[in-house]
Amino acid sequence: NDKKKFKGDKSSCSPSRVLHLRQIPSDVTEAEVISLGVPFGKVTNLLMLKGKSQAFLEMASEEAAVTMVNYYTPATPHLRSQPVYIQYSNHRELKTDNLPNQARAQAALQAVNAMQSGSLAVTSALAAEGGPLHGQGSVLRIIVENLFYPVTLEVLYQIFSKFGSVLKIITFTRNNQFQALLQYADPMHAYYAKMALDGQSVYTACCTLRIEFSKLTSLKVKYNNDKSRDFTRLDLPSGDGQPPLEPSIAAAFGTQNVIFPSYAGAAGFAPAMGFAQGAGLSVPAAPGTLTSLAVTTSAVSGQMTIPGVTDVPGNSVLLVSNLNPEAITPHGLFILFGVYGDVHRVKIMFKKKENALVQMADAMQAQLAISHLNGQRLYGRVLHATLSKHQTVQLPREGQEDQGLTKDYSNSPLHRFKKPGSKNFQNIFPPSATLHLSNIPSSVTVDDLKNLFASTGSTVKAFRFFQKDCKMALIQLGSVEEALHALIELHNHDLGENHHLRVSFSKSTI
């Protein structure tokens, strides 16, 4: 019924520069509604009817409205992950002067138009709206929730520089959450970025941005590397052991609205993102909110593709080095790297068994595995993981001597991320000494599990079943390295009664 014509709009076939939007979420902001129209031209007025989950949006020209309707008819836009339906209104213009509660809409419109024209006059309406004049500075604190894919400093720069000049970014992990501090040149930019981006997801259904103003007035950056950067000073050292920036990227960073070599430019990031100063996008590549970054999963291959991102940096094959050749097997690498993505193939080098190639389902998963596993201790050695120059792992030809060092796992039943939207996507954590166990049959006791883990050489420090669900438990081992060994050894271990133990890293401690 969603698509039934709205009763009031009999003449919804004849174009008008006023558009009628239905089924808008109750918590949506004025800026989000305006962001649907911005890529197509100037938005001149807005009327929100929150009680009815409707809004009217007035474009500067009928032509812009027609382009917008034509774009969104086949590709339904979403606000806060709810579909929104758009059609022509039978109003020719919106008269909102004497209506109550219009100050917010006018403030949002002025903010957008200021961004669009590049003139950043802080208007009195915005001040009345509690804009950036209430002692709010130009530093934002950003928390990324449900971090399934790594959100790099470059991605943050790409998204946030659409709203103004980004001076500095510092990223860090606190309480197992990826966070960033980002400083704009102007508080107005910070205010507008917060209005437009708070609550948006960088990729579909994950990596959700929570944004607030920081109490800091300015950021101090000591090093330019992949954790922190001062875009006003390209002369800073890269700090301990961080590879310095590639000169080409460093040069690009010196320019505003940089387009990274690995991305296809602003079209990949969306439309709401299209507010690059003065860039009135005539017909955008991908309007909508940030969510048009949609990571679509093609059902056939289970591969992730991000529209507009032609080539996520590098490829999906990892070079894993400094392994312990006495202890490592293709199966062990398959299980360990499988915590961060679906492993398709593993090859341990015939002549140099300290090295292996691991092919993940896609480049995002490869990046995720590097970010969590590089530098971890495994079987007494510090593992190194980087992107390989190989694009695929070759299987040995028939009859070729291989000693079982190359294995194809592309059809393995043990892949954790085959099902789109699976819970596993939300439970990806860095290696820790505490493991999360699930799929435990009711006949298995605490002692059974403690003994099982002790038999792999682990020291069991603590154990507890979940109160609500005795199929799940947490077990804390002596060290992160012990947990890595136990996970490799015991994930999919047969506990009887047709139950295979599932093991992953936990963010909790006991």
Side-chain angles (χ1 to χ4, degrees):
N1 297 342
D2 292 345
K3 296 192 177 171
K4 268 189 190 161
K5 287 279 179 276
F6 179 61
K7 286 202 292 288
D9 277 359
K10 298 280 192 307
S11 61
S12 57
C13 304
S14 65
S16 157
R17 68 193 181 97
V18 178
L19 299 170
H20 176 222
L21 284 63
R22 288 175 297 132
Q23 284 193 288
I24 61 171
S26 55
D27 54 351
V28 81
T29 65
E30 283 79 0
E32 287 172 288
V33 175
I34 295 168
S35 76
L36 292 176
V38 161
F40 301 93
K42 188 171 177 179
V43 178
T44 48
N45 210 343
L46 168 70
L47 175 62
M48 300 277 276
L49 303 173
K50 285 202 171 166
K52 295 183 172 172
S53 303
Q54 295 174 23
F56 289 92
L57 196 68
E58 178 187 278
M59 301 299 285
S61 69
E62 193 174 290
E63 181 191 19
V66 171
T67 312
M68 182 168 160
V69 169
N70 290 347
Y71 184 89
Y72 286 135
T73 304
T76 308
H78 286 67
L79 287 175
R80 308 219 165 187
S81 46
Q82 259 179 252
V84 174
Y85 297 99
I86 299 180
Q87 61 195 56
Y88 300 115
S89 162
N90 49 11
H91 296 290
R92 288 286 161 243
E93 60 180 321
L94 285 180
K95 294 194 172 63
T96 56
D97 301 346
N98 44 15
L99 291 175
N101 306 328
Q102 267 303 93
R104 285 184 63 120
Q106 293 309 314
L109 278 166
Q110 282 175 318
V112 174
N113 293 332
M115 289 305 302
Q116 283 252 293
S117 62
S119 82
L120 288 165
V122 179
T123 58
S124 54
L126 197 68
E129 266 315 287
L133 300 185
H134 286 256
Q136 288 164 342
S138 50
V139 179
L140 295 177
R141 177 161 167 256
I142 301 150
I143 295 176
V144 186
E145 292 178 348
N146 196 1
L147 185 76
F148 175 59
Y149 288 124
V151 172
T152 60
L153 188 143
E154 280 83 1
V155 167
L156 290 173
Y157 182 84
Q158 178 101 8
I159 293 172
F160 282 82
S161 63
K162 302 288 181 238
F163 294 88
S165 186
V166 175
L167 302 183
K168 301 169 188 173
I169 304 179
I170 297 171
T171 64
F172 55 96
T173 302
R174 181 170 294 158
N175 306 334
N176 269 323
Q177 278 185 315
F178 177 75
Q179 305 190 20
L181 291 166
L182 182 144
Q183 182 179 346
Y184 276 108
D186 185 309
M188 176 74 198
H189 298 160
Y191 174 72
Y192 197 70
K194 179 181 183 303
M195 272 176 74
L197 295 177
D198 187 26
Q200 300 287 6
S201 294
V202 181
Y203 304 113
T204 303
C206 67
C207 302
T208 306
L209 302 172
R210 300 281 171 224
I211 303 172
E212 54 198 50
F213 285 99
S214 165
K215 295 185 177 65
L216 299 169
T217 50
S218 173
L219 299 179
K220 291 189 179 62
V221 174
K222 291 184 189 155
Y223 302 114
N224 280 344
N225 55 36
D226 60 355
K227 302 278 190 294
S228 63
R229 212 159 289 162
D230 181 338
F231 299 104
T232 61
R233 293 195 49 199
L234 295 175
D235 57 323
L236 290 178
S238 64
D240 44 7
Q242 290 289 0
L245 273 179
E246 302 259 325
S248 62
I249 296 187
F253 268 131
T255 63
Q256 188 50 24
N257 293 325
V258 50
I259 290 176
F260 287 90
S262 49
Y263 293 100
F269 285 88
M273 321 283 18
F275 303 162
Q277 288 87 324
L281 296 182
S282 51
V283 177
T289 51
L290 244 181
T291 43
S292 62
L293 245 187
V295 177
T296 50
T297 304
S298 86
V300 192
S301 64
Q303 294 256 353
M304 297 282 180
T305 53
I306 299 176
V309 178
T310 47
D311 178 24
V312 179
N315 64 24
S316 58
V317 179
L318 303 173
L319 171 63
V320 186
S321 54
N322 202 33
L323 295 166
N324 181 337
E326 305 300 311
I328 204 67
T329 62
H331 178 77
L333 289 170
F334 164 67
I335 295 292
L336 178 59
F337 280 77
V339 174
Y340 299 109
D342 293 339
V343 175
H344 284 192
R345 288 179 182 176
V346 176
K347 179 188 187 90
I348 293 178
M349 301 300 192
F350 188 72
K351 295 208 166 100
K352 194 162 189 233
K353 296 191 169 60
E354 292 83 34
N355 292 355
L357 295 175
V358 176
Q359 183 175 337
M360 308 295 287
D362 63 51
M364 284 303 221
Q365 295 181 4
Q367 291 286 351
L368 194 65
I370 290 174
S371 66
H372 285 307
L373 293 175
N374 183 40
Q376 295 291 344
R377 284 186 72 81
L378 184 67
Y379 302 122
R381 297 197 180 184
V382 176
L383 174 151
H384 295 301
T386 60
L387 287 174
S388 163
K389 60 180 191 293
H390 298 284
Q391 298 292 320
T392 56
V393 170
Q394 295 294 328
L395 292 174
R397 290 193 295 281
E398 282 295 310
Q400 193 179 357
E401 173 61 18
D402 172 66
Q403 298 181 354
L405 296 177
T406 309
K407 290 270 201 268
D408 183 79
Y409 294 101
S410 42
N411 296 317
S412 167
L414 296 186
H415 287 167
R416 296 176 189 239
F417 305 106
K418 267 248 165 64
K419 290 196 190 96
S422 138
K423 276 239 172 65
N424 293 337
F425 282 87
Q426 291 158 33
N427 294 320
I428 293 183
F429 302 111
S432 64
T434 307
L435 295 171
H436 178 277
L437 313 179
S438 58
N439 204 28
I440 304 167
S442 50
S443 58
V444 170
T445 65
V446 173
D447 285 342
D448 293 338
L449 287 164
K450 282 185 173 175
N451 293 338
L452 178 66
F453 278 81
S455 72
T456 67
S458 300
T459 324
V460 178
K461 289 280 181 73
F463 182 95
R464 81 178 158 79
F465 274 112
F466 279 60
Q467 275 177 323
K468 295 195 182 112
D469 185 354
C470 284
K471 292 197 198 93
M472 295 202 280
L474 291 178
I475 188 164
Q476 189 176 336
L477 305 181
S479 66
V480 176
E481 186 177 5
E482 281 187 14
L484 288 161
H485 299 170
L487 182 138
I488 289 173
E489 200 81 3
L490 296 175
H491 179 64
N492 202 44
H493 178 82
D494 189 349
L495 292 172
E497 299 178 37
N498 210 4
H499 281 65
H500 287 77
L501 181 66
R502 317 216 35 95
V503 185
S504 50
F505 297 112
S506 170
K507 67 169 193 274
S508 316
T509 49
I510 303 176

